[in-house]
């Protein structure tokens, strides 16, 4: 037999087995499983372990496990479990001897631990290699490694108990990962990531909350400030409005009183003082109005009207406003409106006038005694052709071709920054330009001029007056009129302001409406032809524009010589070429020395007289305002038919033409309306006796006098009149016809006067009391003669017989008035 | 015809009468004396004139037909006619009267007869014209409009 080591590999092959020596006992294997068939007939007691096991098993009657040893054939480490098989039923607490005696055989099983482990754990498929160790830990201090390599501790250890059935022995299985588990990077990164994200989110949230808190805080502060600012603004507007209103009321009182003062009897000095005070007051009021406008605009409360109006009339009005001032300063003032501008436009005439007045006022203020202020109006569509292609003379302005000859800045620059320069179907856009030859605006001030209360520099207010609001108000008004405003200015040359504004297009007023409105009847001059003599194209264009409004067509000659040749060469005899009037500008005159002009004028007159013998053209001189004496002198010196004073306005032209040409009846209706009230004042309620033999005359006289509010009684002869005028009577006056049959006016009057004389004597003499004769001390009825022939002789005779005055028959308003007034003032 | 047209015709007719010298300013003055308190003033006066003138013209014809012409009488009549025609503004009639008076002074019978003829002619002319004018006026008033005044 081979000696076995308990723990050593037993090299156990069947060939090496020998027949067993003689022993007391044998325990050969009789039956075995096929898998361990190699142990058949091997004496189990030959192995030490097995022997010990067998002995123990039969003694204890329980299953017994060996300590690990090498198994036969497989040489794996394993254990054997042995059970004793007893012959008879043994009581549970039998003594070991009894057990040994009763033993018949043994049952054993070997546990091949490695294969067991491997087979059992075969299904453990894991990514990490698991190291399994099986230990016999019966002796705790000295565990016997039955299976598995000796390896270092890699951390995680799983210990499980193995129970092979023998309580005396303990077995343990240690499972551990072969390698240390790697760091779970995904988990780490993920958790770190999530942590970071959470931190960030937290941070964002925190920041957001903070920000919201801050913003709310700011908001509350702003709200507060805003309400304070609004309150301040409201207070300011209210202050302005109240103060302005409060100032205006006493101011109006002052002005009213001054006006009344001026209407009373004052000497020259006093009149002057009162006038100055009145003017200052008016200036103050207009200043207040401007300031109020500014406030209104700022608070957005300004609204524009939309009514139809005539642009040309408005411009005429503006000219009238400034004609005095411009003449004082010696500046030429002119207006020109292009033909393409419609007659009637819809917009706010008041505000439009205000804007133009503002600009023109500024221009006049800043222009001193030379040059001109020129207002021109065009439709923006006219500009598209460009400065050279434009047909309108005024737009096509050259450097020396200006109204007064003085240089001006290039007007095209003033609107070059405008964005909208076209009209639409409903709205026509007009371009208004105000050009002057004044002192200009200094370059550094040009950016500020539309700012309210800013003036070019601090001395401007002192030198030129004004508050600096005008332009800012104009700016706002222009914006309200959907337009733009711009300017160009050069110090020493002048300034040109331009603005656009949008208007609706109005309908043409028909001729009848014009008539009914008593407007100037254009048809009086329609179709006439005029010749304008002026060296300056633009000025001639201005004259042409005005004459065109009256329906007069115009030819222009540059000097009197040209005019002469024009007259002589114009087509012979054709009516259409007949020149009805010639307008010569004064400058054309002053350029040439007086005698030559005179001669030329004479020559001209001769030519025209021969040309148009029946109706020679009237010659007018266009001149800046002169006093009436100067006018007369000029008229006679130059032997012209009339002098037309500039600035040209329609009303002036019409009046001059009517006077010189004799066209157009005097507006008796107007003069009627004027005189009517005053005649009414004199005649109202008066009792008048009319004496005339002619029925028609009586009726007409009665009607006329009744119109003035008098009570009229008519009698048809002198004879009938005398008893009526016997005192006492109620009549205030008597109109007596002179030529009557039987008793004429003279005789009747004589008799009436005699009657009166007698009565007056009686009263004076005390023969009759005054009460008897209606309390009048001295009877003298005013008797006025009505006569168709107003001859001087008549007058003397009238006076001789006691008449007080005479009037013509039929009554003429003015004469009647003067006669009655004369009487009632002195009487 | 509608109101506007009527009024226009009226104005035009009045203007033509003035332009032709049939009427002068005095007639416009009379028209202006007419108002709501005195709506038929012109008609009244003109009717008086017609009456008066016809009487005078008859008297004149009679006087001139006599064997011995009484120039004083004729002068008085013509003076009357001159007065009334100038009161209503019958311009041409008045002018003829002036000429008539001159001839009366000169005691020129033939000329006077000629003048009478002319006078009658002028009178009838102005009468017709005024009647047309009044008819137009009536039409306007019937249509509810007001009489437009000439300027």
């Amino acid at each position: 037999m081979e000696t076995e080591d308990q723990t050593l590999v037993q090299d156990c092959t069947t060939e090496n087995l020998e027949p067993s020596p003689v022993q007391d006992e044998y325990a050969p294997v009789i039956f075995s499983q096929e898998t361990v068939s190699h142990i058949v007939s091997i004496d189990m007691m030959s192995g030490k372990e097995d022997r010990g096991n067998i002995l123990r098993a039969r003694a204890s009657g329980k299953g017994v496990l060996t300590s690990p040893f090498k198994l036969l054939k497989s040489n794996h480490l394993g254990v054997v479990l042995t059970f004793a098989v007893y012959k008879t039923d043994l009581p549970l607490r039998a003594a070991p001897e009894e057990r040994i005696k009763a033993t018949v055989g043994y049952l054993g099983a070997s546990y091949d631990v490695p294969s067991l482990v491997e087979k059992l754990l075969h299904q453990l498929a894991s990514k990490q290699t698991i190291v399994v160790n099986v230990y016999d830990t019966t002796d705790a201090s000295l565990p016997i490694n039955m299976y598995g390599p000796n390896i270092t501790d890699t951390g995680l250890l799983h210990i499980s108990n193995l129970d092979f059935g023998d309580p005396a022995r303990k077995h343990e299985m240690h499972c551990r990962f072969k390698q240390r588990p790697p760091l779970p990077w995904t988990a780490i990164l993920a958790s770190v990531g999530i942590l970071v994200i959470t931190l960030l989110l937290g941070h964002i949230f925190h920041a957001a909350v903070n920000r919201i808190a801050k913003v709310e805080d700011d908001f509350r502060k702003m709200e507060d400030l805003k309400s304070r600012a609004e309150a301040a603004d409201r207070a300011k507007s209210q202050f302005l409005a109240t103060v302005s209103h409060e100032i205006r009321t006493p101011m109006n009182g002052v002005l009213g009183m001054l006006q009344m003062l001026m209407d009373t009897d004052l000497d020259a000095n006093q009149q002057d003082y009162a006038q100055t005070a009145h003017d200052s007051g008016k200036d103050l009021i207009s200043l207040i109005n401007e300031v109020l406008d500014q406030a209104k605009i700022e608070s957005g409360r300004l609204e524009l009207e939309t009514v139809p109006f005539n642009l040309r009339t408005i411009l005429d009005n503006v000219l009238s406003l400034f004609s005095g001032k411009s003449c004082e300063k010696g500046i030429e003032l002119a207006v020109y409106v292009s033909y393409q501008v419609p007659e009637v436009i819809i917009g706010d005439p008041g505000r439009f006038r205000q804007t133009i007045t503002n600009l023109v006022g500024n221009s006049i203020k800043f222009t001193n005694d030379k040059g001109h202020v020129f207002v021109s109006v065009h439709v923006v569509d006219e500009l598209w052709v460009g400065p050279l292609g434009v047909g309108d003379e005024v737009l096509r302005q050259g450097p020396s071709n200006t109204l007064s000859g003085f240089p001006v800045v290039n007007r095209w620059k003033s609107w070059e920054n405008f964005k909208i320069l076209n009209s639409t179907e409903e709205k026509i856009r007009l371009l208004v330009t105000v050009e002057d030859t004044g002192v200009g605006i200094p370059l550094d001030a040009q950016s500020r001029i539309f700012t309210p209360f800013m003036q070019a520099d601090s001395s401007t207010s002192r030198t030129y007056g004004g508050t600096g609001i005008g332009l800012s108000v104009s700016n706002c008004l222009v914006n309200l009129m959907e337009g733009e405003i711009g300017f160009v200015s050069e110090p020493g040359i002048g300034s040109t302001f331009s603005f656009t504004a949008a208007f609706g297009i109005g309908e043409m007023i028909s001729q009848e409406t014009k008539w009914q409105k008593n407007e100037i009847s254009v048809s009086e001059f329609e179709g006439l032809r005029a010749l304008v003599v002026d060296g300056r194209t633009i000025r001639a264009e201005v004259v042409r524009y005005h004459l065109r409004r009256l329906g007069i067509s115009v030819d222009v000659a540059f000097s009197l010589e040209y005019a002469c040749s024009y007259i002589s060469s114009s087509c012979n005899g054709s009516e259409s070429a007949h020149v009805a009037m010639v307008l010569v500008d004064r400058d054309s005159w002053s350029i040439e020395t007086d005698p030559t002009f005179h001669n030329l004028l004479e020559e001209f007159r001769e030519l025209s007289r021969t040309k148009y013998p029946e109706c020679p053209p009237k010659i007018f001189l266009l001149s800046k305002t002169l006093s009436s004496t100067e006018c007369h002198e000029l008229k006679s010196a130059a032997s012209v038919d009339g002098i037309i004073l500039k600035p040209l306005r329609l009303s002036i032209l019409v009046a001059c033409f009517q006077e010189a040409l004799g066209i157009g009846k005097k507006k008796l209706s107007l003069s009627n309306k004027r005189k009517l009230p005053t005649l009414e004042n004199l005649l109202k309620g008066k009792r008048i006796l009319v004496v005339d033999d002619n029925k028609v005359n009586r009726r007409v006289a009665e009607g006329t006098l009744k119109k003035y509010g008098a009570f009229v009684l008519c009698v048809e002869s002198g004879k009938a009149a005398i008893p009526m005028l016997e005192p006492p009577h109620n009549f205030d006056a008597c109109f007596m016809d002179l030529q009557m049959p039987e008793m004429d006016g003279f005789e009747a009057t004589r008799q009436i006067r005699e009657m009166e004389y007698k009565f007056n004597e009686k009263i004076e003499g005390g023969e009759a009391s005054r009460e008897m004769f209606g309390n009048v001390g001295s009877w003298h009825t005013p008797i006025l003669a009505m006569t168709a022939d107003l001859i001087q002789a008549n007058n003397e005779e009238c006076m001789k017989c006691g008449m007080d005055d005479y009037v013509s028959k039929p009554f003429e308003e003015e004469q009647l008035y003067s006669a009655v007034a004369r009487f009632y003032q002195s009487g | 015809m509608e109101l506007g047209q009527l009024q226009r015709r009226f104005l035009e007719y009045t203007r033509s009468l003035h332009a032709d010298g049939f009427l002068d300013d005095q007639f416009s003055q009379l028209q202006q004396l007419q108002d709501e308190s005195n709506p038929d003033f012109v008609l009244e006066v003109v009717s008086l004139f017609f009456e008066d003138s016809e009487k005078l013209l008859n008297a004149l014809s009679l006087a001139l037909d006599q064997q011995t012409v009484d120039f004083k009488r004729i002068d008085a009549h013509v003076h009357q006619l001159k007065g009334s025609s100038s009161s209503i503004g019958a311009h041409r009639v008045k002018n003829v009267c002036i000429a008539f008076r001159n001839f009366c002074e000169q005691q020129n019978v033939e000329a006077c007869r000629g003048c009478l003829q002319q006078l009658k002619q002028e009178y009838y002319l102005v009468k017709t014209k005024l009647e047309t004018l009044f008819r137009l006026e009536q039409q306007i008033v019937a249509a509810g409009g007001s009489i437009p005044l000439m300027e």
Side-chain angles (χ1 to χ4, degrees):
Chain A
M1 257 284 166
E2 291 142 55
T3 44
E4 298 139 13
D5 205 80
Q6 278 193 334
T7 53
L8 283 180
V9 174
Q10 192 172 350
D11 182 34
C12 213
T13 51
T14 27
E15 296 81 38
N16 291 348
L17 294 173
E18 303 162 345
S20 171
V22 176
Q23 305 269 358
D24 289 327
E25 275 183 278
Y26 299 96
V29 176
I30 305 172
F31 299 113
S32 76
Q33 240 185 328
E34 267 183 49
T35 51
V36 289
S37 57
H38 59 276
I39 57 163
V40 169
S41 63
I42 292 180
D43 182 10
M44 281 296 107
M45 283 197 159
S46 56
K48 225 185 165 156
E49 285 289 329
D50 286 321
R51 189 191 160 85
N53 235 29
I54 288 169
L55 292 173
R56 250 204 324 277
R58 74 178 173 197
S60 67
K62 294 195 174 107
V64 175
L65 216 56
T66 61
S67 52
F69 67 95
K70 294 257 171 226
L71 291 175
L72 295 172
K73 186 159 189 194
S74 63
N75 275 324
H76 289 158
L77 220 56
V79 295
V80 174
L81 182 66
T82 311
F83 280 97
V85 177
Y86 297 108
K87 195 158 50 162
T88 56
D89 278 321
L90 283 174
L92 274 166
R93 290 174 202 271
E97 295 82 33
E98 284 173 2
R99 289 189 194 276
I100 295 170
K101 259 201 234 172
T103 309
V104 169
Y106 313 98
L107 192 65
S110 62
Y111 293 98
D112 187 342
V113 171
S115 59
L116 190 69
V117 171
E118 271 157 36
K119 283 203 167 71
L120 284 175
L121 297 179
H122 177 66
Q123 290 165 41
L124 257 185
S126 96
K127 293 209 177 117
Q128 306 287 340
T129 348
I130 299 180
V131 175
V132 178
N133 279 41
V134 180
Y135 294 105
D136 180 338
T137 50
T138 316
D139 187 1
S141 56
L142 195 68
I144 307 166
N145 187 13
M146 289 166 57
Y147 173 79
N150 279 331
I151 38 166
T152 50
D153 184 14
T154 53
L156 279 172
L157 186 66
H158 189 266
I159 300 173
S160 22
N161 282 336
L162 291 175
D163 186 6
F164 289 109
D166 184 3
R169 296 221 183 250
K170 283 203 192 77
H171 295 90
E172 271 176 11
M173 185 163 80
H174 289 189
C175 296
R176 57 166 68 86
F177 285 109
K178 188 166 187 185
Q179 292 144 351
R180 277 182 166 272
L183 283 177
W185 285 117
T186 326
I188 290 174
L189 286 175
S191 36
V192 166
I194 288 175
L195 182 69
V196 166
I197 288 172
T198 314
L199 281 176
L200 281 173
L201 279 174
H203 179 73
I204 288 170
F205 192 65
H206 179 71
V209 168
N210 269 359
R211 186 145 182 76
I212 288 174
K214 183 166 173 292
V215 166
E216 272 185 357
D217 201 34
D218 279 346
F219 172 71
R220 251 176 277 119
K221 270 193 242 157
M222 284 301 159
E223 279 267 320
D224 190 37
L225 285 173
K226 180 175 116 156
S227 62
R228 274 163 54 191
E230 279 178 347
D233 186 50
R234 254 178 284 127
K236 174 197 89 172
S237 297
Q238 206 150 18
F239 166 76
L240 268 176
T242 317
V243 165
S244 309
H245 179 71
E246 296 298 322
I247 291 183
R248 275 207 288 213
T249 315
M251 218 37 234
N252 282 328
V254 168
L255 285 179
M257 285 298 138
L258 279 172
Q259 188 64 50
M260 283 174 65
L261 181 67
M262 288 196 289
D263 285 339
T264 64
D265 246 336
L266 300 170
D267 69 38
N269 261 347
Q270 289 171 328
Q271 186 79 15
D272 185 37
Y273 296 154
Q275 188 66 47
T276 314
H278 186 82
D279 288 341
S280 303
K282 277 206 290 199
D283 282 344
L284 187 58
I285 291 253
S286 70
L287 170 63
I288 292 174
N289 285 338
E290 271 192 339
V291 171
L292 246 193
D293 265 351
Q294 181 73 12
K296 245 198 262 184
I297 287 175
E298 272 180 8
S299 65
R301 276 185 284 130
L302 200 63
E303 270 174 22
L304 294 185
E305 296 183 310
T306 33
V307 293
F309 66 97
N310 186 339
L311 181 106
R312 294 170 172 83
T313 319
I314 300 267
L315 287 174
D316 273 354
N317 289 342
V318 174
L319 277 200
S320 312
L321 217 64
F322 288 107
S323 68
K325 197 99 200 245
S326 69
C327 291
E328 254 176 59
K329 285 188 141 188
I331 316 167
E332 190 157 340
L333 182 60
V335 141
Y336 173 84
V337 180
S338 148
Y339 312 127
Q340 296 195 30
V341 175
E343 203 175 314
V344 178
I345 51 179
I346 301 180
D348 188 333
R351 296 294 172 185
F352 182 65
R353 184 198 278 121
Q354 189 178 0
T355 313
I356 296 190
T357 308
N358 215 296
L359 292 175
V360 175
N362 276 349
S363 285
I364 290 190
K365 205 182 353 175
F366 289 100
T367 307
N368 302 312
D369 61 55
K370 71 168 169 86
H372 64 264
V373 173
F374 181 38
V375 182
S376 54
V377 183
H378 298 272
V379 181
V380 285
D381 307 287
E382 292 179 59
L383 297 177
W384 284 114
V385 200
L388 295 171
V390 118
D392 189 306
E393 270 294 335
V394 168
L395 278 182
R396 197 184 344 153
Q397 155 214 13
S400 59
N401 177 21
T402 67
L403 184 72
S404 63
F406 286 95
V408 289
V409 289
N410 181 7
R411 58 170 62 201
W412 286 81
K413 285 218 200 110
S414 63
W415 60 72
E416 66 184 358
N417 287 328
F418 286 4
K419 295 192 199 79
I420 310 177
L421 278 177
N422 61 290
S423 311
T424 65
E425 272 196 34
E426 304 93 33
K427 292 235 169 191
I428 189 171
R429 196 163 246 111
L430 299 180
L431 175 72
V432 180
T433 308
V434 177
E435 166 188 277
D436 72 54
T437 56
V439 292
I441 306 173
L443 296 162
D444 55 346
Q446 287 192 4
S447 52
R448 296 185 267 135
I449 58 169
F450 290 115
T451 333
F453 300 109
M454 282 284 185
Q455 289 190 308
D457 78 77
S458 48
S459 67
T460 312
S461 177
R462 255 183 291 124
T463 331
Y464 298 100
T467 51
I469 312 184
L471 275 177
S472 99
V473 171
S474 303
N475 190 12
C476 292
L477 288 176
V478 165
N479 283 332
L480 281 174
M481 292 195 273
E482 297 170 48
E484 299 161 277
I485 186 167
F487 71 99
V488 65
S489 172
E490 259 173 79
I493 298 186
S495 320
T496 298
F497 277 78
S498 297
F499 70 92
T500 53
F503 296 99
I505 304 175
E507 292 149 13
M508 272 281 286
I509 303 181
S510 62
Q511 281 292 95
E512 282 97 51
T513 341
K514 261 204 195 142
W515 266 5
Q516 280 153 26
K517 285 189 180 176
N518 253 344
E519 269 192 28
I520 295 164
S521 175
V522 166
S523 57
E524 288 169 11
F525 302 109
E526 193 97 40
L528 291 181
R529 204 175 179 74
L531 179 66
V532 173
V533 182
D534 193 337
R536 298 200 189 290
T537 1
I538 294 198
R539 207 161 42 190
E541 287 301 310
V542 171
V543 181
R544 191 204 291 266
Y545 149 67
H546 282 287
L547 290 176
R548 250 272 192 116
R549 282 165 80 180
L550 292 173
I552 304 175
S553 56
V554 172
D555 286 318
V556 177
F558 291 115
S559 71
L560 218 49
E561 285 117 346
Y562 278 112
C564 291
S565 51
Y566 174 86
I567 289 276
S568 47
S569 70
S570 63
C571 1
N572 297 319
S574 72
E575 276 306 309
S576 57
H578 178 197
V579 173
M581 55 192 84
V582 180
L583 289 86
V584 184
D585 193 280
R586 183 117 188 256
D587 273 356
S588 291
W589 176 9
S590 48
I591 294 173
E592 304 142 27
T593 50
D594 275 12
T596 14
F597 178 76
H598 244 322
N599 294 340
L600 274 170
L601 204 56
E602 271 311 306
E603 192 190 324
F604 182 78
R605 220 187 290 280
E606 275 306 311
L607 274 169
S608 46
R609 235 173 272 150
T610 45
K611 199 72 210 287
Y612 309 109
E614 325 92 38
C615 196
K618 306 280 185 221
I619 304 182
F620 298 93
L621 213 52
L622 294 164
S623 167
K624 297 193 240 184
T625 310
L626 311 160
S627 69
S628 53
T629 39
E630 279 180 318
C631 257
H632 278 302
E633 279 173 22
L634 205 53
K635 209 165 165 180
S636 44
S639 54
V640 290
D641 299 289
I643 300 200
I644 301 179
L645 301 173
K646 289 199 271 199
L648 286 177
R649 272 163 286 153
L650 211 60
S651 45
I652 288 187
L653 278 173
V654 170
C656 276
F657 288 160
Q658 278 180 344
E659 203 187 318
L661 292 165
I663 300 178
K665 308 257 160 75
K666 242 202 288 190
K667 298 242 190 138
L668 286 169
S669 51
L670 277 182
S671 55
N672 268 359
K673 292 199 180 80
R674 255 185 292 125
K675 288 277 162 57
L676 210 57
T678 22
L679 255 175
E680 250 189 278
N681 293 342
L682 287 172
L683 290 172
K684 198 170 185 123
K686 300 273 196 289
R687 307 180 98 81
I688 302 185
L689 184 70
V690 170
V691 188
D692 196 322
D693 61 324
N694 187 305
K695 232 186 293 180
V696 178
N697 294 344
R698 281 202 300 272
R699 198 72 189 77
V700 172
E702 185 187 358
T704 314
L705 291 170
K706 269 194 178 155
K707 188 89 181 172
Y708 299 124
F711 299 109
V712 183
L713 189 69
C714 296
V715 289
E716 57 177 345
S717 70
K719 268 212 173 119
I722 294 173
M724 303 240 81
L725 289 180
E726 196 182 353
H729 66 82
N730 278 335
F731 289 105
D732 299 296
C734 171
F735 282 85
M736 179 93 70
D737 182 22
L738 286 177
Q739 271 111 2
M740 289 187 286
E742 293 179 67
M743 191 191 289
D744 65 3
F746 304 112
E747 184 55 38
T749 314
R750 238 174 273 134
Q751 293 198 8
I752 293 171
R753 287 297 177 227
E754 262 188 53
M755 242 188 340
E756 290 178 349
Y757 179 73
K758 279 195 206 126
F759 277 117
N760 289 343
E761 274 196 354
K762 272 199 197 152
I763 295 170
E764 274 181 30
E767 282 178 39
S769 70
R770 288 170 67 151
E771 293 82 45
M772 275 175 67
F773 301 111
N775 251 339
V776 178
S778 159
W779 281 96
H780 182 92
T781 321
I783 301 183
L784 289 97
M786 294 194 295
T787 168
D789 311 318
L790 297 168
I791 319 167
Q792 191 64 11
N794 247 356
N795 192 14
E796 280 175 22
E797 252 197 275
C798 289
M799 295 306 137
K800 252 194 275 178
C801 62
M803 289 191 162
D804 295 283
D805 210 344
Y806 62 92
V807 289
S808 69
K809 192 163 63 156
F811 291 140
E812 246 186 45
E813 269 353 86
E814 277 122 303
Q815 213 200 27
L816 185 62
Y817 171 77
S818 54
V820 177
R822 214 177 303 146
F823 184 81
Y824 276 100
Q825 264 170 14
S826 55
Chain B
M1 214 186 298
E2 54 109 28
L3 184 62
Q5 269 182 302
L6 280 173
Q7 284 172 325
R8 244 173 287 140
R9 261 187 103 203
F10 179 87
L11 276 169
E12 252 151 43
Y13 196 64
T14 317
R15 282 179 106 216
S16 71
L17 290 182
H18 276 74
D20 288 342
F22 284 107
L23 298 173
D24 62 12
D25 256 359
Q26 182 60 18
F27 189 74
S28 331
Q29 296 265 39
L30 284 187
Q31 280 180 316
Q32 275 160 29
L33 291 177
Q34 179 165 299
D35 57 5
E36 307 85 38
S37 58
N38 219 347
D40 288 331
F41 184 66
V42 184
L43 194 59
E44 230 184 281
V45 176
V46 172
S47 316
L48 275 175
F49 168 73
F50 288 161
E51 245 181 75
D52 208 5
S53 310
E54 258 152 68
K55 263 192 280 176
L56 286 168
L57 285 171
N58 287 336
L60 280 169
S61 310
L62 218 57
L64 276 174
D65 275 348
Q66 303 289 329
Q67 282 285 26
T68 42
V69 177
D70 187 357
F71 283 107
K72 262 191 146 178
R73 203 109 183 273
I74 292 177
D75 190 47
H77 288 318
V78 176
H79 173 77
Q80 285 277 318
L81 194 55
K82 175 169 159 257
S84 38
S85 61
S86 98
S87 276
I88 70 153
H91 192 76
R92 279 153 83 135
V93 175
K94 178 180 85 178
N95 287 343
V96 179
C97 288
I98 295 174
F100 204 143
R101 281 188 94 191
N102 286 337
F103 292 137
C104 272
E105 268 182 46
Q106 296 164 11
Q107 308 218 342
N108 185 342
V109 183
E110 279 312 313
C112 284
R113 289 220 179 96
C115 258
L116 182 60
Q117 279 308 102
Q118 219 186 341
L119 201 53
K120 282 192 185 157
Q121 212 182 337
E122 286 304 333
Y123 167 73
Y124 283 121
L125 271 174
V126 84
K127 180 161 185 231
T128 330
K129 298 226 183 257
L130 283 170
E131 276 166 2
T132 320
L133 198 67
F134 286 131
R135 238 178 293 123
L136 273 173
E137 245 185 76
Q138 274 167 359
Q139 281 179 330
I140 292 176
V141 171
S146 61
I147 318 284
L149 288 176
M150 206 185 84
E151 277 152 66

